[in-house]
Amino acid sequence: MIDFTLGYLRDLLNQHLKVEFSLPDNKVVLSNLIENDGSIGEDKVIIFLLQVEEESSLRNMGANRNMNSSTYSNPNAPIFLNLHVFFCMNFKNQKYFEGLTYLSAIISFFQTNKIIKPVGYPDFSNRFEKISVELCKTTYDQMSNIWSAVGAKLLPSALYKVRLVDIQDTNIKGVTPAILNTESNETH
């Protein structure tokens, strides 16, 4: 589901930038920032996954599901994830201003669309009602550490938390019979 989520955001942003700036081609790619040969793709908005964490406040949301009138299934509890996603503007020289323009457009898009309901992606929309996107506050020290870990020079960028990506295992770990009545058949 992580792949669907990031692919969906990439497609939404490409559509938004094409409409906003009358672009003929996609500008947003889902990729590593630095390729194996050390090169960096130019003149693109690069999206990459920085970190995955579990949303601990929703850890115990598993519930029995009614299979029929006399039994309930005990599915594995879903895992709700927060994805920390980096949006980097890799535009050099004369196109640097263009990258800043796209960064502003992306921030504006997510400011307007903090809650996104997936439409047109059957595999995605069948599993999620919505996802939320939130700009992360980072200090200079944190940004320096991130860029050092990534192994790249500082680029105009924004770090977002994509919240509540649900990974649901469909395996059932047990079946519980329903209680059909509360009267005792024992005689004293």
Side-chain angles (χ1 to χ4, degrees):
M1 286 284 93
I2 293 171
D3 54 342
F4 284 114
T5 303
L6 297 181
Y8 185 71
L9 291 176
R10 177 204 56 213
D11 294 348
L12 279 177
L13 289 174
N14 272 320
Q15 180 182 11
H16 174 68
L17 294 177
K18 281 181 175 181
V19 170
E20 182 86 11
F21 301 107
S22 302
L23 298 173
D25 299 322
N26 291 338
K27 288 290 184 184
V28 182
V29 295
L30 179 58
S31 175
N32 294 324
L33 182 61
I34 299 178
E35 299 299 330
N36 291 336
D37 63 2
S39 65
I40 299 177
E42 291 186 25
D43 300 334
K44 295 288 183 188
V45 175
I46 300 172
I47 302 174
F48 68 91
L49 180 63
L50 186 63
Q51 179 183 0
V52 178
E53 69 180 9
E54 183 178 6
E55 177 64 55
S56 58
S57 65
L58 299 175
R59 184 172 288 159
N60 297 319
M61 292 290 289
N64 293 336
R65 293 189 182 142
N66 190 358
M67 293 176 70
N68 58 43
S69 63
S70 63
T71 58
Y72 291 87
S73 66
N74 302 5
N76 291 317
I79 297 174
F80 295 97
L81 299 177
N82 293 325
L83 307 177
H84 292 258
V85 181
F86 228 22
F87 295 85
C88 300
M89 310 306 121
N90 191 22
F91 294 84
K92 294 184 179 179
N93 302 324
Q94 271 56 26
K95 294 194 175 191
Y96 183 80
F97 186 78
E98 181 181 350
L100 295 177
T101 303
Y102 295 148
L103 179 59
S104 297
I106 289 169
I107 291 170
S108 176
F109 177 80
F110 286 134
Q111 180 66 23
T112 305
N113 300 286
K114 290 181 179 183
I115 303 293
I116 299 171
K117 295 186 178 188
V119 178
Y121 279 63
D123 291 337
F124 191 76
S125 58
N126 289 341
R127 295 195 58 180
F128 301 107
E129 184 178 319
K130 61 186 175 185
I131 58 174
S132 67
V133 182
E134 171 186 330
L135 185 62
C136 293
K137 181 180 177 182
T138 53
T139 66
Y140 290 116
D141 289 340
Q142 290 169 328
M143 287 301 285
S144 177
N145 290 338
I146 290 169
W147 285 106
S148 293
V150 169
K153 302 286 185 193
L154 181 64
L155 294 172
S157 59
L159 178 61
Y160 278 88
K161 182 188 286 190
V162 179
R163 305 191 85 182
L164 303 182
V165 176
D166 169 22
I167 306 292
Q168 176 70 48
D169 184 5
T170 56
N171 294 329
I172 297 173
K173 61 181 180 181
V175 176
T176 304
I179 297 173
L180 300 175
N181 68 42
T182 58
E183 296 177 11
S184 174
N185 292 335
E186 293 180 29
T187 57
H188 294 291

